[in-house]
Amino acid sequence: MDFYKMQGAGNDFVFIEDFNYNIKDECELAKKLCDRHFGIGADGLVIVRKSEAANAKMVIINADGSRANMCGNAIRCFGKYVYEHKITSGNKFSVETGDGIKEIEIILESNKVKYVRVYMGNPSYDGGDIPLNNIESLIQQEIKVNNNTYNITTVLMGVPHTIIFEKDREYNVVEEGSKIEKLELFKEGSNVNFVKVIDETHIRVNTWERGAGFTLACGTGCSAAVVVAKKLGLVDKNKEIFVLAPGGELIIEVLGEDVYMKGPAEVSFEGKTSL
């Protein structure tokens, strides 16, 4: 099996093509390939398939074998993959995901892919969409976990994201994020983003991803953090916001209810696997 290893701001993925639906157990394959000791190693497996609704179809499975509807860094890598492998023509095309059709724009510099810009869709605070357990919404809700108090806002940005702004202290992403992820508030768990506002156009985001753990960047998480920061008036409502994640920088733009993400995507290496 041929594979590509790709990363977007340090969030890494194994890419394989499966146009004829030969893969029988995608989730088990993801666990094997993503294992960093016995496999290739990655935060998730991305399967490239044909689509009847768009120019290509992206299937993403987390390292633990759980499925994800959407991943911002993965879809940027997917856009670069589809463009460079000539699966579609032109620098603007559509991708079918578990979160609907996403529009992709390839931004070139000296005929090479510099950025991939993705239409991320519209955020939702509705408890039924996220989904929450018998709660209409969670916006600046105070909760207590292990004697720690948090003000949380949860939004669906392709997948559920809980946003916590750092004020008096920095948070332990692994210890605190892993506990908040599994609160009974969330029917299907939640990604957790710890956000520091630097100035009106710059924020820092550290993310705990359900199914993957601490990752160097999360595209949907960075998008959700900007959406919530704008809603709460913590950053400029009319400008692009530069988001610094441990693995690199993403640029998020909100136009009305529409959210756009722009950032890098790179090929790390390619090879063959018998897993």
Side-chain angles (χ1 to χ4, degrees), residues 152-165:
I152 68 171
T153 298
T154 302
V155 60
L156 183 74
M157 193 70 247
V159 290
H161 280 280
T162 295
I163 310 300
I164 299 170
F165 290 96

Side-chain angles (χ1 to χ4, degrees), residues 43-250:
D43 292 322
L45 169 66
V46 174
I47 302 174
V48 185
R49 288 184 170 140
K50 294 178 181 178
S51 170
E52 295 183 0
N55 297 113
K57 181 177 181 178
M58 180 182 83
V59 175
I60 179 162
I61 303 168
N62 294 317
D64 69 350
S66 61
R67 295 181 180 275
N69 287 332
M70 175 60 180
C71 173
N73 289 316
I75 200 170
R76 288 202 321 280
C77 292
F78 190 93
K80 178 182 173 75
Y81 185 98
V82 166
Y83 176 81
E84 294 186 339
H85 287 77
K86 303 187 186 308
I87 294 172
T88 186
S89 60
N91 68 331
K92 292 184 179 181
F93 49 88
S94 59
V95 174
E96 180 184 352
T97 75
D99 186 47
I101 306 297
K102 304 299 179 185
E103 301 297 328
I104 307 292
E105 180 183 2
I106 303 297
I107 300 172
L108 301 173
E109 185 176 87
S110 301
N111 293 320
K112 293 184 178 180
V113 178
K114 180 178 182 181
Y115 290 126
V116 180
R117 186 174 187 258
V118 183
Y119 171 60
M120 300 292 286
N122 304 142
S124 173
Y125 297 92
D126 186 276
D129 294 338
I130 291 170
L132 301 173
N133 270 316
N134 302 314
I135 303 172
E136 291 186 1
S137 64
L138 284 175
I139 300 175
Q140 286 300 89
Q141 178 70 45
E142 185 176 292
I143 64 169
K144 284 191 175 182
V145 182
N146 289 359
N147 297 319
N148 290 320
T149 301
Y150 306 90
N151 282 309
I152 68 171
T153 298
T154 302
V155 60
L156 183 74
M157 193 70 247
V159 290
H161 280 280
T162 295
I163 310 300
I164 299 170
F165 290 96
E166 295 181 357
K167 294 181 180 179
D168 301 325
R169 67 180 180 95
E170 291 188 7
Y171 295 94
N172 186 308
V173 179
V174 175
E175 290 185 9
E176 298 180 80
S178 61
K179 291 180 175 62
I180 295 169
E181 172 202 353
K182 299 182 182 300
L183 291 177
E184 291 186 2
L185 293 167
F186 312 117
K187 283 187 177 181
E188 300 172 1
S190 176
N191 301 280
V192 185
N193 303 270
F194 299 100
V195 183
K196 176 72 174 180
V197 177
I198 299 170
D199 59 35
E200 65 178 9
T201 56
H202 293 79
I203 65 174
R204 186 192 73 209
V205 177
N206 291 318
T207 301
W208 173 265
E209 288 195 53
R210 61 175 188 176
F214 171 71
T215 54
L216 295 178
C218 175
T220 54
C222 290
S223 300
V226 169
V227 165
V228 174
K230 284 179 178 280
K231 181 180 181 64
L232 299 179
L234 301 177
V235 295
D236 194 302
K237 292 186 176 181
N238 301 310
K239 294 181 179 179
E240 289 183 331
I241 305 300
F242 296 85
V243 184
L244 181 63
E249 185 178 74
L250 302 180

Side-chain angles (χ1 to χ4, degrees), residues 9-53:
N11 200 189
D12 58 345
F13 309 93
V14 175
F15 272 71
I16 57 175
E17 294 181 2
D18 185 35
F19 295 135
N20 296 317
Y21 287 80
N22 292 321
I23 298 173
K24 303 306 179 186
D25 193 339
E26 302 168 344
C27 296
E28 188 63 29
L29 180 63
K31 289 193 286 185
K32 291 180 178 179
L33 293 179
C34 294
D35 190 294
R36 297 192 184 273
H37 298 288
F38 298 101
I40 299 165
D43 292 322
L45 169 66
V46 174
I47 302 174
V48 185
R49 288 184 170 140
K50 294 178 181 178
S51 170
E52 295 183 0

